[in-house]
Amino acid sequence: MVSLLSRSILHRLSPARAGTVSCCRGFVMTPEHEALKENLIKLIDKEINPKCDQWEKDRIFPAKEVFKILGDAGYLGISKPVEYGGMGLDISYEAVAAEAYARITSGGVGMGIGIQCDIATPALVKYGNDELKERYLKPTISGDIVACLGISEVGGGSDVAALKTTARRDGDEWVINGGKMWTTNGAQADWMCVLANSSEGPVHKNKSLFVLPMDTPGVNVHRKIEKMGMHASDTTETTFEDARIPANHLIGEEGKGFTYQMQQFQNERIYIGAGTIAAMDICMESTIEYTSQRQAFGKSILDNQYVHYKLAELQTELECTRALYYKCIDDYLAGEDITAIATMLKLKTARLARQITDGCLQFWGGMGYTDDVIVSRLYRDLRLMSIGGGADEVMLSIICKFMGTEPGMRG
């Protein structure tokens, strides 16, 4: 979504130049996209934002309450099948919704919503059997139950191939043992999309995805982790001790879990990219407004050449990153493999978020160091983007594989 500031920049360009800017990409924001986003923002402003400050203090938001509001309005299944309560739209509408969620004044709430609607469910939609979809996907879309994703482990982090959790087939059941770390929504979730080693063999072919009900005997949520940012999001450590689930809770084919999860990561990276870009828009817009009003040494902070030049540099980087985001959507809609471009999007948005939030906060002075302003919340919340969903260094490694530049890849 083009920000208000971006629109003002485009309006200052000549008609020919503006036409070039708006037509240089395949993805076009339609009135339907605009309507979805505007209506969602209205719902957010009415039902969610007035409560965010309290949820930040509480260090948790009521997921079932929030998800039910969004589910009743249809926003948790934008790109999901109509037969399970979704809208059946393409991923560009999901991305536009992610931009709207960035308007939530607590980043942790938006992150929890992302898990529910676009990060824990894609594999279930694509590969799950009808019974699983009816029992878990449908109520997830309606907001009646809460989903979470179990990938990272203690000592494992972003190294998905090295995970240790196991799933052993025992008759008509799978027996899960191990544990997961950094699980968003973990304290309130009703089910987990969990990745586990289901056999011996090569690490990319021995894993499977499962639907794991969180009330299964042997599933233990040990603690809610206190974090630097995303305060309203509950993040947990969970262990599994002989947790038994029915055999039909396997998502898709046995041994295909690693591949399925890599596909889910592409949805996650689009969601993160869209939301982070929209959050950076907010950071820039609020900083321009504040520095234009704040006076020091007889003039506004914004009138200092260093300040408005620095903001111009950051805005340029932001528009380049937005073009990368649009290309990612274009390629996805064209049916192309977006692994490389989505990884680049995740890397670029995460790193730019660090630059923009740090640079903007500096111009707020002492106010920027308080909890009273949005820029300080963005500063601590968006710092996660370079760590969560795959650290920057992992993104670089993936990109190098596509470039053929990693050690051992060259002949």
Side-chain angles (χ1 to χ4, degrees), residues 134-154:
E134 188 68 29
R135 185 174 175 184
Y136 294 99
L137 178 62
K138 191 172 183 177
T140 298
I141 290 171
S142 66
D144 291 308
I145 63 174
V146 177
C148 66
L149 179 66
I151 304 297
S152 294
E153 299 184 356
V154 176

Side-chain angles (χ1 to χ4, degrees), residues 98 101 110 113-114 117-119 267-276:
Y101 290 133
I113 294 168
C117 67
D118 210 40
I119 295 175
N267 291 70
E268 179 179 17
R269 288 164 191 166
I270 290 177
Y271 185 94
I272 289 173
T276 304

